[in-house]
Amino acid sequence: MALRHAVLAALLDGEFSGYELAKSFDIGVANFWHASPQQLYTELAKLEREGLVEGRQVVQEARPNKRLFQVTDAGRAELEAFAAAAVKPSVIRDDLLVKVQTADRIGTAPVIAQLEERAAAADAKIDLLGRVLRKMRGDLGEEEFLLRGDAIGGYLTCLRGIAFEQGHRDWCRRSAAILREREGLTTRADEH
């Protein structure tokens, strides 16, 4: 998947300025695709040149003018082709895993600290995504929303984000505990 598809998908919900798109990415899309605001602005300009989105200038009196973007028919066709294309397998690419891989050889204290930081960050993301889900559902229970609610795609991706963060948090905590325990065993063995 390219950033273009994530941007087009986010714009399906309506017209957004670059700033609003960045906020949308931070809350919803970021659980499966990360992009900096600069990358988003660059991608919007590229998509507009290619005719996949169109922008319009909005004049504001008390604030600077802004551009609002929406998906064109060509952009929808691009997304339809993307949705129909075969899916590549997911891969993990994470610096923290490289650090854990080397923990036996370089020491565990910094790795344990980073595992604990990552677990705390996962907890915060789980909380945020839970709030997003509750807002999306409104007064409906989850099962009712899953059967009859609007914007089910965004809801399902948030559910996947929560499952990912929970699995990641649990792995980080377990790995930190194992490394801490092994460090304690090594220290006790060295004392004897």
Side-chain angles (χ1 to χ4, degrees):
M1 177 169 98
L3 176 57
R4 68 191 296 117
H5 299 116
V7 169
L8 289 170
L11 288 173
L12 285 176
D13 289 332
E15 255 187 339
F16 291 103
S17 68
Y19 173 76
E20 292 164 334
L21 182 64
K23 283 178 58 178
S24 170
F25 256 71
D26 277 349
I27 294 172
V29 180
N31 82 70
F32 60 88
W33 193 269
H34 173 75
S36 70
Q38 294 81 10
Q39 289 172 307
L40 293 174
Y41 284 108
T42 301
E43 193 63 36
L44 279 170
K46 193 183 314 179
L47 291 169
E48 188 172 25
R49 281 193 307 273
E50 294 176 23
L52 301 177
V53 302
E54 61 186 12
R56 67 181 179 91
Q57 189 79 8
V58 176
V59 177
Q60 304 183 107
E61 289 189 28
R63 299 182 193 183
N65 295 342
K66 66 179 179 179
R67 285 185 59 72
L68 295 178
F69 296 90
Q70 65 181 7
V71 177
T72 63
D73 290 341
R76 284 184 177 277
E78 170 80 15
L79 275 174
E80 288 171 4
F82 171 71
V87 177
K88 295 178 184 176
S90 297
V91 296
I92 299 174
R93 200 171 141 187
D94 188 339
D95 292 349
L96 183 58
L97 292 175
V98 175
K99 294 174 183 188
V100 170
Q101 173 79 22
T102 63
D104 294 338
R105 307 287 188 263
I106 62 168
T108 58
V111 176
I112 291 170
Q114 291 177 45
L115 285 163
E116 290 170 343
E117 288 171 15
R118 189 72 73 84
D123 274 334
K125 187 78 180 266
I126 291 164
D127 183 57
L128 172 65
L129 291 173
R131 289 193 310 267
V132 169
L133 290 178
R134 287 188 294 280
K135 183 177 179 181
M136 290 174 82
R137 275 198 308 269
D139 295 333
L140 297 177
E142 184 163 85
E143 292 307 313
E144 179 73 14
F145 182 84
L146 290 172
L147 290 174
R148 294 179 182 78
D150 294 330
I152 194 67
Y155 197 88
L156 292 173
T157 60
C158 279
L159 285 177
R160 176 62 184 116
I162 287 174
F164 171 81
E165 294 295 342
Q166 288 170 333
H168 190 61
R169 175 203 58 204
D170 295 347
W171 175 83
C172 285
R173 286 186 177 148
R174 181 167 189 238
S175 297
I178 290 167
L179 292 174
R180 199 176 294 106
E181 179 67 24
R182 289 175 59 90
E183 189 174 79
L185 291 174
T186 303
T187 302
R188 285 190 291 262
D190 289 343
E191 292 171 357
H192 294 290

